[in-house]
Amino acid sequence: MDFNFLLPLLAMFTLLAALVFSLYSKAVTEKKRKDPNAPKSSLAKDGPGPQPLR
């Protein structure tokens, strides 16, 4: 059986999965960035700073 059609199909599926993941991640990031109650990063200038080890 000839599987030459399988490689382009897998490549397209991988690209589609990466595109969907990146769009979802961007949407979550934008939503969090616009939320004024979201916690600041400890690396941000106006963030809480480094947290002590427990």
Side-chain angles (χ1 to χ4, degrees), residues 5-34:
F5 68 92
L6 190 60
L7 187 61
L9 185 67
L10 288 173
M12 287 302 198
F13 179 75
T14 302
L15 288 172
L16 179 64
L19 177 68
V20 169
F21 177 73
S22 64
L23 288 174
Y24 174 75
S25 178
K26 181 181 183 216
V28 169
T29 302
E30 289 295 324
K31 182 179 176 185
K32 187 175 180 182
R33 192 171 65 87
K34 292 178 182 179

Side-chain angles (χ1 to χ4, degrees), residues 29-53:
T29 302
E30 289 295 324
K31 182 179 176 185
K32 187 175 180 182
R33 192 171 65 87
K34 292 178 182 179
D35 183 10
N37 297 324
K40 300 273 186 191
S41 169
S42 62
L43 299 175
K45 287 183 181 179
D46 58 347
Q51 300 297 319
L53 296 174

